Amino acid sequence: SGNLDWANINPDIFGSMFQAVNHADNRGTLGQHFTSVPNIMKVIEPLFLNDIKEDFEKAKGSTTKLNKLLYRLKNIKIFDPACGSGNFLIIAYKELRRLEMEVFKELGTIALSEISLSQFYGIELDDFAHEIAILALWLVEHQMNVEFFKEFGRTNPTLPLTEAGNIVQGNACRLDWEQVCPKEKNDETYILGNPPYLGARMQDSTQKEDMRLVFEGRKEYKDSDYIACWFIKGANYIKSFIFSKSSK
C-alpha cells in the first residue's frame, strides 16, 4: 500500500471496508447497517442541501446575500449520533465545501474556506469504526483542499492535522447529546444518520437496558425496535433546542 497513490481514494469506501472486516453475525448483533452514497444524498438533499442551493440561486447577483450565505454555511452543524465510519458526515462535508466554492466563484472573490471539520459531530459505539471516521474526515478535508486549490490557486493547509470533527466513542443511548453537540446561538443543526435497528426479541441485555433508560421506565417500549431510542433522544434534543431558541 505504500507504493500506491492515495490521492484519489474515496473516503466513503471506508464504510465498505469496515463492513468487510466485521463478521456479518457481529454486524447483526450490533444492529450495524451501512448506507450507500445515493441513499445518503436522499437524506441530506431534502433535509438541508436543497434549501441551501435554493438560497444560493436567489442570492446570485447580490454580494450581501452571498456573504450572508457564506456565514450560514460556516455555522451549520451536522450531527450523526450513530455515525459508523462517518459516511453521512463525509458526504455532507463534501457537499457544503463544493457549494461554498460556488459562492466564491459567484462573488469573484479569492478567499479561504471557513467550513471546518469542527462543524461535524458524531457518536459511534465501535472503537474501530470511530477511528475510521476520524481518518476519513482528515482524508476528505485534504481532498477538498486540493479541489479548492485547483479552482482558486490557494487553500487552507491540511498539515498539521487538527481535530477531525467531534467524533465521540460511546453509547449514544446513554450519552448526553447536548454535551456531544452543544447548542449555541446562531447554530443551524441537523441530526441525520442510519441508527442501528434490532427487533425487540433480538436485543441483548445491554440493549434492553438502553431501551429502559431512554424510555425512563415506561413499559410501552418493550415491543419497540432498538432504533426507537434514537427517535426519542433526537426528539428530546430538538424539543429543547426549539424552546431555547424561542426564549432568546
Side-chain angles (χ1 to χ4, degrees):
S1 63
N3 293 325
L4 296 176
D5 181 4
W6 284 47
N8 296 316
I9 289 177
N10 195 346
D12 31 277
I13 200 173
F14 284 128
S16 298
M17 290 172 57
F18 179 53
Q19 185 173 10
V21 301
N22 200 355
H23 192 274
D25 291 341
N26 189 36
R27 292 200 304 271
T29 302
L30 294 172
Q32 294 170 339
H33 304 275
F34 300 91
T35 313
S36 66
V37 175
N39 284 334
I40 290 172
M41 293 301 294
K42 290 176 185 177
V43 172
I44 69 174
E45 284 180 333
L47 183 61
F48 64 88
L49 193 59
N50 289 343
D51 179 64
I52 299 173
K53 288 181 177 179
E54 185 178 330
D55 273 3
F56 173 56
E57 291 300 319
K58 292 177 180 178
K60 287 182 176 179
S62 170
T63 300
T64 300
K65 290 180 179 179
L66 288 168
N67 282 321
K68 185 176 180 180
L69 180 56
L70 288 174
Y71 181 79
R72 179 185 179 187
L73 290 173
K74 73 178 183 180
N75 282 288
I76 286 175
K77 287 182 177 179
I78 307 296
F79 179 27
D80 183 350
C83 70
S85 54
N87 272 17
F88 275 90
L89 301 176
I90 291 164
I91 302 304
Y93 177 81
K94 281 183 178 179
E95 294 298 322
L96 292 178
R97 285 289 303 267
R98 285 173 177 155
L99 184 55
E100 182 189 48
M101 289 170 64
E102 291 299 313
V103 177
F104 285 147
K105 284 191 280 187
E106 181 67 22
L107 282 168
T109 301
I110 299 177
L112 295 175
S113 175
E114 293 192 87
I115 296 173
S116 71
L117 293 181
S118 64
Q119 295 170 234
F120 295 80
Y121 297 77
I123 302 174
E124 172 52 38
L125 180 64
D126 185 274
D127 185 53
F128 181 48
H130 159 262
E131 294 296 330
I132 290 176
I134 293 172
L135 173 61
L137 284 169
W138 273 327
L139 183 56
V140 74
E141 179 188 44
H142 172 66
Q143 290 181 336
M144 291 311 301
N145 285 346
V146 171
E147 193 171 315
F148 194 98
F149 183 82
K150 289 179 180 178
E151 186 67 42
F152 299 104
R154 59 184 293 188
T155 190
N156 297 322
T158 302
L159 297 175
L161 294 176
T162 56
E163 289 296 321
N166 302 277
I167 313 300
V168 175
Q169 192 271 320
N171 185 338
C173 298
R174 305 194 188 196
L175 290 173
D176 182 346
W177 288 14
E178 293 191 36
Q179 292 292 322
V180 176
C181 184
K183 302 168 186 173
E184 299 173 4
K185 187 177 181 181
N186 298 321
D187 281 347
E188 185 177 336
T189 304
Y190 295 98
I191 304 174
L192 44 69
N194 183 10
Y197 48 92
L198 279 173
R201 307 298 176 263
M202 299 176 65
Q203 297 159 17
D204 62 25
S205 59
T206 299
Q207 291 156 349
K208 288 183 182 297
E209 180 64 9
D210 290 341
M211 295 283 286
R212 187 190 70 78
L213 292 170
V214 170
F215 280 82
E216 298 178 339
R218 290 174 294 196
K219 295 181 180 179
E220 64 269 23
Y221 74 87
K222 292 190 176 181
D223 287 325
S224 299
D225 193 282
Y226 189 46
I227 200 172
C229 291
W230 276 258
F231 282 101
I232 295 295
K233 296 275 287 186
N236 290 335
Y237 181 92
I238 293 168
K239 180 180 177 182
S240 60
F241 201 10
I242 293 172
F243 287 158
S244 67
K245 278 186 173 290
S246 64
S247 66
K248 289 179 180 177

